[in-house]
Amino acid sequence: MERNTIRKWFWVWEFDKEEAWLNGMAQNGWVLESVGFCTYHFVKCEPGEYNVRLEMHGYDESYIQFMQDTGAEFVGRMVAWIYFRKKTTEGPFDLFSDIDSRIDHLNKIGRVLGIIGTANLLIGIMNSFNPVVNIGWINLLCATLLMYCLGRIHGKKEALEKERLLHE
Amino acid sequence: MPESYALTESTYYILLSLLKPQHGYGIMLMTEKMSHGRIRLAAGTLYGALNALCDKGWIIQLPVEDGSRKKEYKLTDAGRTILAKEVARLRELADNGERILKGE
């Protein structure tokens, strides 16, 4: 089997861009086989043989089982993100089919970013008072970045909520 | 949330699919069939909705039988009542729409 590994960076709010890129790879005959940190391992497939989906979801074996029961294959997990693929012959493949569950998903991402961001902020402040090694700025930088991510996620959520006022 | 709120389309069809015990994929197929292909429940959305409906007590998860790993769900009496109320609400909406559009 021909294989291929690509290293690529996506920001948290770019998860739909990441998904589109993975589906583009599948269209070109490379389907995701496993994931690592900023690393994607592909295996040769028929062009358009698979659809690939990803989402943030905590450790939840029964969810993975549920997905497999609907004909999807579990590709792998990278921290909180899980990746699935499904053969196009098995029917259409989406993870979310209404606005509410898309908003829920963004809330989930927001909560995780908020927790890590706050932790970094607190550790950063505490480390700033450390007279020996002054590394607090690293945490403060991380906290700033995470808050920016949170803002981007929030923007996406607002757009959906506006839609939700009129539609389901 | 007050129970007089409207159900979402997904919730409505999930409840309708569960008059008889059904597993997740079965619910997806039934919903698609009933809505003539208009509504395709996605697995993530369905999973979240099933958990929320179990918490509400409108459906229950049946004990998993030996040899089968698929979880089955079934409508409860409470769920049935909600569904009946929703049908009445939808009828009101449709009746009013038809009446006014006909210019009565």
Side-chain angles (χ1 to χ4, degrees):
Chain A
M1 265 309 204
E2 228 181 311
R3 287 186 160 77
N4 185 8
T5 295
I6 297 178
R7 294 185 177 276
K8 204 168 162 68
W9 173 262
F10 289 98
W11 295 98
V12 180
W13 65 86
E14 293 180 319
F15 62 88
D16 33 15
K17 199 172 147 191
E18 179 182 355
E19 194 177 84
W21 176 68
L22 291 171
N23 280 308
M25 290 295 291
Q27 280 299 327
N28 291 326
W30 291 100
V31 68
L32 191 66
E33 195 186 25
S34 63
V35 283
F37 183 69
C38 300
T39 312
Y40 301 86
H41 303 283
F42 297 93
V43 64
K44 200 106 186 105
C45 69
E46 291 297 316
E49 190 183 347
Y50 284 95
N51 279 314
V52 184
R53 297 281 175 236
L54 59 97
E55 72 171 298
M56 182 181 269
H57 203 107
Y59 286 87
D60 183 357
E61 272 309 310
S62 72
Y63 182 60
I64 289 166
Q65 184 71 59
F66 188 88
M67 294 298 297
Q68 288 168 338
D69 289 344
T70 64
E73 296 170 45
F74 177 60
V75 176
R77 166 185 288 280
M78 187 56 230
V79 198
W81 292 89
I82 48 179
Y83 296 76
F84 294 100
R85 64 184 192 193
K86 187 173 173 179
K87 288 204 166 176
T88 42
T89 49
E90 293 260 322
F93 184 37
D94 282 304
L95 293 180
F96 306 114
S97 52
D98 60 18
I99 300 178
D100 288 316
S101 49
R102 287 193 180 89
I103 292 175
D104 281 347
H105 182 227
L106 290 171
N107 279 335
K108 207 183 281 177
I109 301 172
R111 271 198 302 278
V112 173
L113 291 178
I115 293 169
I116 309 174
T118 312
N120 267 289
L121 184 66
L122 294 176
I123 297 169
I125 292 169
M126 284 194 301
N127 279 342
S128 301
F129 293 109
N130 187 332
V132 188
V133 270
N134 198 347
I135 50 160
W137 64 273
I138 298 174
N139 295 101
L140 292 177
L141 191 69
C142 286
T144 313
L145 188 62
L146 285 159
M147 289 306 157
Y148 178 72
C149 291
L150 196 58
R152 293 294 293 252
I153 294 291
H154 190 72
K156 284 190 169 201
K157 204 181 101 180
E158 274 190 336
L160 284 178
E161 278 171 347
K162 207 169 160 189
E163 189 73 9
R164 183 70 182 84
L165 287 175
L166 300 176
H167 300 285
E168 225 180 67
Chain B
M1 210 177 267
E3 297 195 343
S4 57
Y5 281 7
L7 300 182
T8 64
E9 277 192 341
S10 309
T11 312
Y12 182 70
Y13 273 112
I14 292 168
L15 292 177
L16 269 187
S17 306
L18 288 176
L19 255 70
K20 282 184 192 149
Q22 197 70 254
H23 52 73
Y25 194 52
I27 299 171
M28 288 161 88
L29 295 178
M30 279 191 79
T31 299
E32 192 170 347
K33 199 175 158 207
M34 280 191 280
S35 66
H36 305 289
R38 187 174 64 85
I39 299 174
R40 285 189 297 102
L41 288 174
T45 297
L46 176 60
Y47 184 80
L50 286 173
N51 285 337
L53 289 169
C54 282
D55 289 345
K56 280 256 184 202
W58 295 355
I59 62 170
I60 47 162
Q61 193 191 309
L62 299 174
V64 181
E65 285 171 32
D66 291 342
S68 162
R69 58 197 179 96
K70 287 185 185 177
K71 284 180 191 163
E72 285 198 315
Y73 300 85
K74 193 178 184 301
L75 195 68
T76 61
D77 289 342
R80 215 188 165 95
T81 310
I82 294 289
L83 206 43
K85 276 188 194 161
E86 182 66 6
V87 172
R89 192 189 67 85
L90 291 171
R91 179 166 297 128
E92 180 208 291
L93 289 182
D95 285 352
N96 278 331
E98 273 183 3
R99 187 171 52 80
I100 289 170
L101 284 177
K102 273 186 202 155
E104 273 177 28

